[in-house]
Amino acid sequence: MYLCSRIRKQMKILITGASGFIGSFIVEEALKRGFDTWAAVRKSSSREYLQDKRINFIELNLSSKEQLVEQLRGHDFDYVVHAAGVTKCLNKQDFRRINTDGTKNLADAILELQMPLKRFVFVSSLSIFGAIREQQPYEEIRESDTPQPNTEYGRSKLAAEQYLESIALRLPYIILRPTGVYGPREKDYYMMAKTIKQHSDFAVGFKRQDITFVYVTDVVQAVFLALEKGENGRKFFLSDGEVYQSSTFSDLIHEELGRPWWIRVTAPEWILRIITFFGEHIGRMTGKVTALNNDKYNILRQRNWRCDIQPAIDELGYKPTVKLAEGVKRTIKWYKDNGWL
């Protein structure tokens, strides 16, 4: 059962990364549930998806624990959902500065203020495990496996998790590790849809690739279940419970776009290595973050993205409701309705 409405109205929640893809949906759900909802933003953050007048805004500088202490002083939040972070950067040091140090600074500020926190939910990623269990037939990645992150993003998220583990006796936290999250407002998978509309599709590697996905509202469902359920310190994988082949996502997008003519190219990994090598260097020269970077190379070449969500089902009551075909339908419709496609 969710928190009863009488209690829920008294609950104060802080959501970091509130202007982002996942964060904005968490804010919407918090409002629906009657929480006193606070959206943490930066001065430069877009508030395009944060238009509800019930939202309270707070500017937080996650790069400084001292500033966070002052910015949070006087706020006794019952819950914190830490969804802030970056998935691509010009410099690899920025991953640790934002994803790792930002998490550490926020947790330390909460502890210094002795905030009476009921639960801290950290949105991490399946990417912390890297390319493991890649011998066919592929097996699900499990919590008992040893993380071997092969991206700067994955390493920074893992380091953030490890810091939370180190203060487990003082901070009641739960970690969520979603696989590929997609849905309305998401920009990386949008680039795939845009490319397909422009009549091309690109895949990498000839070895079988098992992929998993989770629709954004199912991640949000898990966030609110984790606020009240589950043992402190637990970590849960999130997917829609299905396993797909590498071409399934683009096939579904192609279908929803009305089957435009297209050319599908499957390239060997060494070609991707060349593209991402130059893409990363061009990004550094121009100062513009590009999706074609070294992290993307390791993500695209990884073959096994299976993960075990049974603990989330058993302990949190998590029930994924949107499978890939329906999720792609909703997402492409949103892209069209909002002029993205």
Side-chain angles (χ1 to χ4, degrees):
M1 294 293 291
Y2 293 120
L3 300 172
C4 71
S5 58
R6 182 182 64 82
I7 297 177
R8 209 166 48 212
K9 290 178 181 177
Q10 301 171 354
M11 296 293 103
K12 186 174 180 180
I13 186 170
L14 172 68
I15 300 157
T16 71
S19 62
F21 165 48
I22 299 174
S24 62
F25 279 95
I26 297 172
V27 169
E28 289 180 1
E29 185 64 21
L31 292 171
K32 289 179 184 177
R33 293 171 182 263
F35 284 95
D36 180 8
T37 304
W38 290 73
V41 296
R42 302 184 306 274
K43 287 184 179 179
S44 60
S45 297
S46 168
R47 302 189 185 188
E48 181 179 1
Y49 305 119
L50 301 173
Q51 298 295 313
D52 195 300
K53 293 182 179 179
R54 294 172 295 171
I55 300 172
N56 301 288
F57 290 97
I58 181 171
E59 291 186 7
L60 296 183
N61 180 10
L62 294 173
S63 65
S64 169
K65 188 200 83 170
E66 290 72 24
Q67 286 191 37
L68 280 171
V69 168
E70 294 309 311
Q71 290 165 333
L72 291 171
R73 193 179 301 279
H75 291 282
D76 283 339
F77 290 105
D78 298 287
Y79 300 110
V80 171
V81 180
H82 184 39
V86 290
T87 58
K88 48 184 178 288
C89 295
L90 283 176
N91 301 302
K92 65 181 183 180
Q93 295 84 356
D94 290 337
F95 284 106
R96 179 167 287 272
R97 178 178 61 83
I98 297 170
N99 293 343
T100 307
D101 295 344
T103 304
K104 179 180 183 297
N105 291 335
L106 179 61
D108 286 350
I110 289 169
L111 292 175
E112 183 169 323
L113 291 167
Q114 298 182 343
M115 198 177 291
L117 204 65
K118 293 177 173 61
R119 182 61 55 86
F120 182 103
V121 174
F122 176 51
V123 181
S124 185
S125 172
L126 175 61
S127 290
I128 72 161
F129 282 88
I132 67 173
R133 296 185 177 272
E134 296 232 311
Q135 297 299 316
Q136 297 190 49
Y138 302 134
E139 296 181 357
E140 292 177 334
I141 298 170
R142 302 183 182 91
E143 185 184 347
S144 58
D145 289 324
T146 301
Q148 301 175 35
N150 56 0
T151 62
E152 295 299 334
Y153 170 70
R155 283 186 277 272
S156 68
K157 284 288 192 177
L158 176 59
E161 287 195 14
Q162 291 170 336
Y163 184 73
L164 292 178
E165 290 174 6
S166 74
I167 57 172
L169 296 179
R170 296 187 290 153
L171 186 75
Y173 73 88
I174 278 183
I175 293 172
L176 301 178
R177 296 163 167 170
T179 182
V181 186
Y182 71 103
R185 308 173 192 168
E186 202 281 329
K187 294 181 179 178
D188 287 345
Y189 289 120
Y190 158 70
M191 295 304 297
M192 182 187 296
K194 185 178 179 181
T195 300
I196 292 172
K197 185 179 180 181
Q198 295 171 343
H199 311 295
S200 63
D201 184 39
F202 183 77
V204 176
F206 300 101
K207 184 180 177 183
R208 172 180 169 141
Q209 185 179 45
D210 284 1
I211 302 180
T212 51
F213 296 93
V214 60
Y215 192 69
V216 62
T217 56
D218 280 331
V219 176
V220 174
Q221 173 204 158
V223 165
F224 284 88
L225 286 168
L227 291 181
E228 60 168 328
K229 291 185 176 182
E231 181 182 346
N232 287 341
R234 293 287 289 117
K235 308 171 184 70
F236 299 101
F237 296 114
L238 302 177
S239 78
D240 69 1
E242 303 291 338
V243 177
Y244 305 93
Q245 298 308 300
S246 56
S247 61
T248 307
F249 195 75
S250 54
D251 285 342
L252 289 169
I253 292 174
H254 186 241
E255 182 73 24
E256 293 303 318
L257 290 175
R259 299 182 182 178
W261 67 266
W262 62 344
I263 298 174
R264 172 174 278 169
V265 176
T266 301
E269 290 181 8
W270 64 266
I271 290 181
L272 176 66
R273 174 70 279 184
I274 293 172
I275 292 172
T276 55
F277 174 82
F278 283 105
E280 179 137 331
H281 282 275
I282 290 171
R284 288 176 182 171
M285 288 187 294
T286 61
K288 295 181 180 179
V289 179
T290 174
L292 297 173
N293 53 43
N294 290 331
D295 266 17
K296 180 61 76 172
Y297 168 72
N298 287 310
I299 290 170
L300 289 176
R301 71 192 293 264
Q302 187 168 321
R303 299 290 97 181
N304 179 28
W305 290 93
R306 291 171 173 257
C307 59
D308 179 15
I309 67 168
Q310 195 60 46
I313 293 171
D314 294 340
E315 298 177 41
L316 297 182
Y318 172 66
K319 297 178 181 178
T321 60
V322 182
K323 303 300 184 184
L324 190 61
E326 176 61 24
V328 169
K329 183 186 294 290
R330 295 183 190 181
T331 302
I332 297 301
K333 182 179 186 303
W334 187 92
Y335 289 154
K336 290 178 178 179
D337 292 346
N338 288 269
W340 288 31
L341 290 174

